Amino acid sequence: MNISSNGSSEMMISLKGWEALFSEAKLIQATFVSLGIGALVVVLNLIIGLLAGKALAFYSFKGKAVVDALFLLPLIVPLLAITMGLHVAMIRIGLTDTWLGVVLIHLVPTIPYSIKMLRSGYASMGTGILQQAQVLGTTRWHRFWSVELPLLMPSIRSTVFLIFVISLSQYVITAIIGGGNVVTLAMIYFPFLDSAESTVLAAFSAWFALLPVLFYLSMELLLSLLPYQNPWRTRL
Amino acid sequence: MKLSEANKAWVLLVPALLFLALPLYGFLSAVRTSLQDQGAFTTKYYTTLFTEQSFYESLGYSIRITLIATALSLLLGVLITRSFTPFIQRTAGKLSIWLPMLFPHFVWGYIVLLLFEQSGLISNLLNEIGFIPSTDAFPIVTNDQNGIGMILTYVGKETPFVVLMLLPIYTKHDKGYRDLVETLGGGKWAAFKDAEWPWVFPALVETGIILFAFILSAYEVPFLLGATFPEMISVLTYDWFYSGDWNDRPLAFAAMVMTSVIIGIVSFIAFSVMNRKRMLLTKGQD
């Protein structure tokens, strides 16, 4: 960023905070690390959440109540206890200090929400339209691609957004599993809080809110490739 | 081979069940570590823990703050949802609820610090307009013994979450029940108690348990806004976990296991109260 502050003394708005923020070389890299980890967490969440959500919305089976309770568990058991417990195991199989380890630990506070949201998405869709597609002779994949996904868009949107924000917000579990080697945004911001100037911190705080929005917009671009999502097509 | 309906469900659940291995293994491993001394079973870490004065102080402090923050968030969440449901469903309303969720907890904590510190914005503003003689006259509400800063942070951050959890219930809720109460001559209170509460209560219990568990064991906000004494349980645990002394490490595990036990007891009580209610509800629908 090369915005000069020459002659800006009369200006009320100053970009000083942002300048200082972006001159921090680690910031750009940490942003990409956070984006990458967040994207992976989101994708895994969608896969697991869509499958489990469908199972829980459409089928009744023995042990459903137990499964329901189990999926609430990761939100109830202290994340710190789970992370400390996994830390030892992850050291043994070499997952500490790696991206993958951080992605895995970020799944714990996110998956329960994905399952919950995508399940209610499936429930409000109902089975009727899927049966109709089946009667018309579609394959399973075709049905998923052209009926389920388009109809689930509202739930998928909220899931993507929420899961990314949660992943971005994790400090302590990232610190423990990442061991200081996986530097996400939270890893820079959090220790920063004691020392840095308030304008820089304010800019940094805003960056935290901007990032999910940017992520969401790029995700939206990707999702518009799905069938029936072209905004011009529906207006015809 | 044709799968039965039930088996189809289990096939779809495979990835989710595989995921569950992660938290389950993590927790069980934490329990095991807290009960082991060089491979042999021992309860000595728990005995040490229970003689540790700082543990009791910390636990009591944490539970008090957690209960207050959870109760306030739930109360505010219900009030906001039931008064503003039509507004929240519109885009502007949705955005204003989503906005606080955009920021991580520690950013929210920083905002509270910025506003409510003695040298913060509000104190300076009050000083500026002459309401208080100096910024020192502003009460200490951050990093304080009563945890007011933490409570403020959590209420601000979690109330929107409560609203989001309750919103589907209020949007789907059948207005017919309310009309029925009114037709039968019930007042406002009766309408709330009989036509609204039974549907809201289960969601409230679930949300409340999630909040209680989260606030009791979260690290970021207490680190920023907590007092040095007493410490929140998570900060104490983290200190033990990373202290140079390896003897303290199993203590950290034991402290977190005890926290889990408390969360377990609270959830059990809440769920059993709810189930009794729910039974009455389903009976009524027969």
Side-chain angles (χ1 to χ4, degrees):
Chain A
M1 268 237 157
N2 263 325
I3 299 164
S4 86
S5 48
N6 287 346
S8 65
S9 51
E10 315 102 83
M11 260 167 52
M12 290 298 282
I13 300 167
S14 150
L15 290 169
K16 232 177 84 189
W18 288 94
E19 259 180 79
L21 184 64
F22 281 102
S23 64
E24 184 88 21
K26 277 189 293 182
L27 180 94
I28 308 287
Q29 209 195 335
T31 302
F32 281 112
V33 172
S34 290
L35 272 173
I37 288 174
L40 241 118
V41 171
V42 164
V43 169
L44 286 172
N45 263 278
L46 285 180
I47 296 170
I48 297 174
L50 281 170
L51 293 171
K54 189 174 182 180
L56 292 170
F58 290 161
Y59 300 97
S60 57
F61 49 90
K62 226 184 184 157
K64 193 170 173 177
V66 179
V67 172
D68 260 347
L70 279 176
F71 285 143
L72 195 63
L73 225 55
L75 295 182
I76 292 184
V77 178
L79 203 48
L80 206 53
I82 293 173
T83 310
M84 290 182 337
L86 281 172
H87 185 235
V88 184
M90 282 193 173
I91 289 176
R92 250 180 239 140
I93 50 177
L95 276 175
T96 43
D97 303 354
T98 66
W99 268 53
L100 190 60
V102 174
V103 168
L104 284 177
I105 200 69
H106 281 195
L107 289 182
V108 177
T110 51
I111 295 278
Y113 290 114
S114 304
I115 294 179
K116 213 173 158 57
M117 288 196 284
L118 294 169
R119 172 201 200 156
S120 67
Y122 268 113
S124 62
M125 179 197 312
T127 48
I129 192 155
L130 287 176
Q131 280 164 359
Q132 179 165 18
Q134 201 167 4
V135 168
L136 291 170
T138 54
T139 62
R140 184 187 302 268
W141 176 247
H142 195 177
R143 229 164 23 239
F144 175 73
W145 192 250
S146 55
V147 181
E148 291 176 31
L149 273 186
L151 285 176
L152 283 174
M153 276 320 288
S155 312
I156 290 178
R157 280 201 181 94
S158 352
T159 309
V160 166
F161 195 64
L162 185 70
I163 299 313
F164 185 76
V165 171
I166 297 178
S167 164
L168 202 60
S169 313
Q170 301 303 329
Y171 169 73
V172 75
I173 61 172
T174 315
I176 293 177
I177 299 296
N181 287 325
V182 183
V183 182
T184 62
L185 277 181
M187 301 293 294
I188 303 186
Y189 182 89
F190 198 69
F192 223 55
L193 282 170
D194 278 337
S195 52
E197 222 184 313
S198 62
T199 43
V200 184
L201 266 176
F204 204 159
S205 305
W207 187 235
F208 260 108
L210 223 60
L211 209 60
V213 174
L214 289 177
F215 181 80
Y216 180 79
L217 289 177
S218 45
M219 200 72 183
E220 198 69 7
L221 267 175
L222 255 176
L223 291 171
S224 70
L225 298 175
L226 289 178
Y228 312 113
Q229 297 300 314
N230 186 331
W232 291 280
R233 181 183 164 150
T234 48
R235 298 221 179 94
L236 285 175
Chain B
M1 193 183 83
K2 195 103 177 84
L3 286 168
S4 75
E5 288 289 287
N7 287 342
K8 256 190 216 163
W10 285 109
V11 170
L12 292 173
L13 281 170
V14 166
L17 294 172
L18 281 178
F19 151 76
L20 273 184
L22 216 59
L24 282 179
Y25 178 86
F27 181 62
L28 292 179
S29 153
V31 174
R32 209 189 48 212
T33 315
S34 72
L35 286 170
Q36 251 177 14
D37 181 33
Q38 285 157 358
F41 175 83
T42 176
T43 53
K44 74 171 184 187
Y45 297 115
Y46 287 92
T47 342
T48 319
L49 191 70
F50 291 138
T51 52
E52 195 76 49
Q53 187 63 29
S54 61
F55 172 69
Y56 288 107
E57 304 258 359
S58 169
L59 200 60
Y61 178 66
S62 306
I63 291 176
R64 196 176 71 224
I65 285 163
T66 305
L67 279 178
I68 296 173
T70 307
L72 282 177
S73 306
L74 289 178
L75 188 72
L76 266 174
V78 172
L79 287 178
I80 291 175
T81 320
R82 66 190 305 273
S83 359
F84 297 112
T85 300
F87 171 70
I88 298 170
Q89 283 171 293
R90 287 208 302 268
T91 317
K94 266 209 191 93
L95 280 180
S96 52
I97 288 296
W98 275 93
L99 205 63
M101 305 202 75
L102 262 176
F103 296 97
H105 274 88
F106 46 81
V107 174
W108 203 242
Y110 167 68
I111 295 172
V112 166
L113 209 58
L114 206 64
L115 289 175
F116 292 96
E117 253 178 342
Q118 266 200 327
S119 56
L121 279 175
I122 292 179
S123 147
N124 269 314
L125 205 72
L126 289 179
N127 184 31
E128 206 68 27
I129 60 172
F131 194 76
I132 48 175
S134 75
T135 51
D136 288 342
F138 193 72
I140 300 172
V141 292
T142 55
N143 304 103
D144 57 315
Q145 298 270 321
N146 293 317
I148 296 174
M150 282 187 272
I151 293 172
L152 279 172
T153 311
Y154 281 126
V155 171
K157 184 78 168 80
E158 307 304 351
T159 304
F161 174 71
V162 177
V163 173
L164 278 186
M165 295 286 277
L166 292 180
L167 200 57
I169 293 160
Y170 274 95
T171 32
K172 273 188 221 139
H173 188 59
D174 194 353
K175 295 272 184 298
Y177 288 108
R178 183 169 278 272
D179 295 340
L180 180 69
V181 172
E182 265 161 37
T183 319
L184 292 174
K188 266 205 168 123
W189 173 245
F192 173 73
K193 191 171 78 66
D194 298 329
E196 195 178 314
W197 188 242
W199 280 265
V200 177
F201 185 65
L204 221 49
V205 169
E206 196 188 317
T207 315
I209 290 172
I210 292 175
L211 286 188
F212 181 83
F214 177 80
I215 298 175
L216 189 60
S217 59
Y219 172 81
E220 286 88 348
V221 172
F223 178 83
L224 273 181
L225 288 156
T228 23
F229 189 85
E231 284 179 308
M232 287 284 272
I233 187 76
S234 45
V235 178
L236 187 71
T237 303
Y238 191 80
D239 286 349
W240 279 341
F241 189 69
Y242 274 126
S243 76
D245 190 354
W246 276 81
N247 288 325
D248 281 352
R249 215 162 223 215
L251 269 186
F253 284 93
M256 267 301 124
V257 171
M258 283 317 295
T259 311
S260 313
V261 168
I262 289 166
I263 293 168
I265 293 170
V266 170
S267 322
F268 179 78
I269 294 171
F271 271 121
S272 38
V273 171
M274 184 182 76
N275 278 341
R276 215 167 5 180
K277 277 249 173 147
R278 203 176 247 171
M279 229 165 60
L280 294 174
L281 189 67
T282 40
K283 257 189 204 151
Q285 279 171 343
D286 279 342

